Amino acid sequence: MFNKLKEKLASFMIGRYGIDELYIALVILYIILFFVNLFLNSLILGIVICLVIVFAVWRSFSKNHEKRRKENAFFMRYYGKIEKWAKFQKRKFDDRKTHVYVKCPKCKAVLRLPKRKGKNTAVCPKCSNKFEV
């Protein structure tokens, strides 16, 4: 019986867009807002929660692949920047005891330098600028 249901679902999804990164982000947003609304019990937030999950499901059942792909690419362009920034902040936090991160005053490149006491001279590998740290 389970296999028959699985086959029917698979045949229903033929030609449909399915799940992508934006769908996963919308479901995570739905879960977060749902738990926030448990404490706030807001009607407006409840409506927003319903709209988020309806939009996510609607996207996954859509047959307009090109439009859904463009939406996902737009989302990934900004999500990639946020993810890159968050990973850099985590790396800075992990290295806080052994290294210091400074920007080159000339080309603005971020340099990872070992922590040392006193004033030190650093050379930027991109523009060969020497500056004191």
Side-chain angles (χ1 to χ4, degrees):
M1 177 157 172
F2 181 71
N3 288 336
K4 193 161 187 123
L5 180 65
K6 190 175 175 182
E7 289 173 15
K8 285 191 179 204
L9 182 61
S11 66
F12 174 74
M13 288 302 289
I14 291 174
R16 308 213 184 255
Y17 187 68
I19 295 173
D20 60 1
E21 290 87 359
L22 179 54
Y23 174 85
I24 294 168
L26 288 171
V27 170
I28 291 170
L29 177 66
Y30 164 78
I31 292 168
I32 292 169
L33 291 177
F34 179 80
F35 283 112
V36 167
N37 199 33
L38 285 177
F39 298 106
L40 298 179
N41 202 15
S42 167
L43 177 65
I44 295 171
L45 188 56
I47 293 170
V48 169
I49 290 168
C50 289
L51 290 175
V52 167
I53 198 65
V54 166
F55 180 64
V57 171
W58 173 77
R59 282 188 81 254
S60 68
F61 290 156
S62 174
K63 290 187 176 183
N64 191 346
H65 289 259
E66 187 60 28
K67 199 165 189 179
R68 302 295 85 82
R69 187 196 61 75
K70 285 182 181 178
E71 290 169 356
N72 191 52
F74 180 78
F75 168 74
M76 289 306 293
R77 185 172 34 234
Y78 292 102
Y79 177 73
K81 290 178 183 178
I82 294 169
E83 186 179 34
K84 184 179 176 182
W85 176 83
K87 284 182 179 179
F88 178 68
Q89 295 303 319
K90 182 186 180 315
R91 193 172 70 223
K92 276 176 54 174
F93 182 77
D94 291 343
D95 291 345
R96 71 187 181 280
K97 292 182 180 177
T98 58
H99 291 83
V100 63
Y101 288 80
V102 293
K103 279 189 179 182
C104 172
K106 189 174 179 184
C107 70
K108 306 298 183 206
V110 179
L111 307 177
R112 179 179 176 253
L113 304 171
K115 275 191 175 178
R116 294 184 187 146
K117 291 184 179 182
K119 289 188 177 183
N120 297 297
T121 304
V123 179
C124 178
K126 288 189 178 181
C127 66
S128 301
N129 181 32
K130 292 183 179 179
F131 60 96
E132 285 193 12
V133 180

